[in-house]
């Protein structure tokens, strides 16, 4: 039987970390749906048409360190406004979500568009400043030369584009549990998420 956990929220809110921990705890599979948009964004940066690229994604497209960088993130949010790009990625995400044994998917529209019937929906958020601090620490840890103001501007630009687009905008599903991690440690956030899934089982 399938059991889908949908985890949405803005950039660097903690979705990925929480999703991986929930998946590991319950033995569910995990899909970071942002990687699909990042892969299409990277192909666009290499000169490809994003709609065609979205229809041709392969497992190898989801590899590579640069996929996690800010240039690819910005490109991802640009291709993500294109309805045909989103449409090309729906079937893969739904098939993943309904696989036997349970699945956790994190992104922007998992609880609203991809899996409106998900058993558990979490909307993970935090202030833009807190999220920029976290993303800065990650990027500096990976050796990127950047600073707080640059990362904050990137986060705000992406939040605006993701929230204002017409197709599948970033918004909490009406039945999502909102988890504001601004003042929560990652351990506390993970514990809350696991407790929410446990209640639904
Ligand atoms: O997937 P998403 O972009 O939403 O965020 P993430 O990659 O899971 O988290 C971004 C960074 O913030 C990671 O380094 C997390 O460990 C950190 N984080 C944190 O310090 N405290 C939290 N409550 C949540 C995330
Ligand atoms: O890790 P972070 O939260 O910074 O970004 P991500 O989850 O990898 O997503 C990168 C971009 O892809 C987002 O800014 C969105 O524009 C887009 N995206 C989307 O539109 N729908 C999703 N389900 C996931 C990502």
């Amino acid at each position: 039987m399938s059991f889908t956990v949908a985890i949405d929220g803005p950039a660097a809110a903690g979705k990925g970390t929480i999703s991986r921990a929930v998946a590991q705890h319950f033995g569910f599979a995990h899909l970071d749906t942002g990687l699909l948009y990042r892969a299409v964004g990277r192909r666009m940066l290499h000169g490809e048409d994003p709609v065609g690229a979205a229809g041709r994604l392969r497992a190898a497209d989801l590899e590579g360190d640069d996929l996690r960088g800010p240039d690819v993130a910005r490109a991802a949010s640009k291709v993500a406004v294109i309805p045909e790009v989103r449409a090309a990625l729906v079937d893969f995400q739904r098939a993943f979500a309904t696989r036997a044994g349970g699945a956790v998917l994190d992104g922007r529209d998992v609880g609203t568009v991809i899996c409106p019937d998900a058993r558990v929906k979490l909307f993970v958020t935090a202030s833009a400043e807190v999220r920029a601090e976290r993303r800065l620490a990650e990027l500096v840890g990976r050796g990127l030369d950047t600073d707080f103001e640059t990362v904050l501007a990137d986060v705000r630009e992406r939040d605006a584009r993701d929230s204002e687009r017409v197709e599948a905008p970033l918004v909490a599903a009406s039945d999502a549990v909102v988890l504001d991690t601004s003042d929560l440690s990652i351990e506390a956030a993970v514990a809350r998420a696991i407790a929410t899934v446990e209640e639904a089982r």
Side-chain angles (χ1 to χ4, degrees):
M1 213 189 63
S2 72
F3 186 104
T4 310
V5 180
I7 303 190
D8 292 304
K15 305 179 298 296
T17 312
I18 292 170
S19 300
R20 281 189 295 276
V22 167
Q24 193 179 10
H25 185 88
F26 293 100
F28 295 164
H30 170 229
L31 176 66
D32 172 356
T33 66
L35 286 184
L36 305 174
Y37 292 90
R38 285 174 181 261
V40 176
R42 180 170 60 183
R43 279 180 170 244
M44 180 185 71
L45 292 176
H46 292 157
E48 270 183 67
D49 162 56
V51 177
R56 286 192 300 270
L57 280 193
R58 295 285 170 269
D61 280 294
L62 307 182
E63 314 276 333
D65 253 10
D66 62 327
L67 209 53
R68 315 260 174 196
D71 297 342
V72 171
R74 189 178 304 113
S77 79
K78 289 181 179 168
V79 302
V81 308
I82 305 170
E84 292 83 358
V85 166
R86 307 199 69 85
L89 302 175
V90 167
D91 288 352
F92 175 76
Q93 295 176 80
R94 289 203 177 130
F96 193 98
T98 53
R99 58 166 56 198
V104 185
L105 286 80
D106 74 287
R108 301 292 185 287
D109 64 338
V110 181
T112 51
V113 173
I114 301 297
C115 305
D117 296 328
R119 290 285 293 277
V120 180
K121 297 181 188 179
L122 283 173
F123 191 82
V124 182
T125 188
S127 73
E129 289 76 11
V130 165
R131 290 185 285 117
E133 278 294 355
R134 290 175 183 165
R135 186 49 49 91
L136 176 67
E138 277 183 320
L139 294 175
V140 169
R142 289 189 9 231
L144 256 84
D145 179 23
T146 186
D147 58 67
F148 177 73
E149 290 306 329
T150 304
V151 175
L152 180 61
D154 273 355
V155 160
R156 288 206 163 118
E157 180 192 320
R158 211 139 56 84
D159 283 358
R161 202 179 291 123
D162 290 349
S163 306
E164 288 162 16
R165 70 182 176 224
V166 174
E167 188 92 1
L170 168 65
V171 62
S174 56
D175 52 350
V177 173
V178 177
L179 188 58
D180 188 327
T181 69
S182 300
D183 300 313
L184 281 184
S185 69
I186 190 63
E187 292 79 12
V190 164
R192 294 252 187 114
I194 288 175
T196 306
V197 176
E198 197 66 73
E199 268 170 42
R201 288 230 298 169

